[in-house]
């Protein structure tokens, strides 16, 4: 088998796994489902207010940031629970820090949303 074919088929397989993971996240995690709902609302608002290309870029980046960090947080929590199912101070710390990262991303996205949409409302 030639190396190019192996490389390309490996990348395609990897994309398949990534797509499967994104679907699993959307199907099973309430926090991601909430974020997806908010993303849908913000997308509708973007079309309604006819936001600029730059504003679309910022909005898409903010949505992607929050949902990506939320996925990483979910993974960290699942690994922590698998490793140590009972309460443990260090596991609690790890989970709190991961949740804190989501909080920072969400606050950042909220600020981006305010910067974009406040001028359209006033």
């Amino acid at each position: 088998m030639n190396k190019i074919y192996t490389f390309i088929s490996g990348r395609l397989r990897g994309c398949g796994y990534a797509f499967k993971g994104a679907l699993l996240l959307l199907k099973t995690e309430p926090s991601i489902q909430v974020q997806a709902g908010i993303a849908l609302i913000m997308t509708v608002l973007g079309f309604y207010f006819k936001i600029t290309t730059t504003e679309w870029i910022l909005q898409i980046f903010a949505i992607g940031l929050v949902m990506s960090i939320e996925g990483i947080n979910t993974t960290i929590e699942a690994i922590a629970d698998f490793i140590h199912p009972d309460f443990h101070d260090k596991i609690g710390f790890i989970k709190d820090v991961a949740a804190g990262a989501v909080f920072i991303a969400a606050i950042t996205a909220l600020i981006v949303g305010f910067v974009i949409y406040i001028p359209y409302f006033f």
Side-chain angles (χ1 to χ4, degrees):
M1 206 175 274
N2 78 36
K3 288 183 181 185
I4 293 175
Y5 176 78
T6 303
F7 175 80
I8 292 172
S9 65
R11 300 301 68 79
L12 290 174
R13 204 168 335 130
C15 286
Y17 296 139
F19 185 72
K20 178 183 174 186
L23 286 179
L24 284 170
L25 200 54
L26 283 167
K27 285 181 180 179
T28 62
E29 290 302 317
S31 56
I32 284 286
Q33 293 165 355
V34 169
Q35 297 299 340
I38 293 168
L40 183 62
I41 290 166
M42 299 313 293
T43 300
V44 170
L45 282 175
F47 284 115
Y48 178 79
F49 287 116
K50 297 181 173 89
I51 62 176
T52 68
T53 301
T54 303
E55 291 167 337
W56 273 114
I57 291 167
L58 292 170
Q59 179 168 297
I60 291 165
F61 182 76
I63 290 168
L65 175 72
V66 171
M67 293 185 77
S68 297
I69 301 288
E70 188 71 62
I72 292 168
N73 177 53
T74 298
T75 303
I76 290 169
E77 288 186 356
I79 291 169
D81 290 342
F82 179 76
I83 291 171
H84 205 292
D86 299 324
F87 178 79
H88 190 279
D89 288 336
K90 287 185 181 181
I91 295 293
F93 174 80
I94 291 166
K95 292 169 91 174
D96 288 348
V97 169
V102 175
F103 179 75
I104 291 168
I107 294 298
T108 302
L110 187 65
I111 292 167
V112 168
F114 283 150
V115 168
I116 292 171
Y117 288 103
I118 283 178
Y120 289 101
F121 281 104
F122 297 107

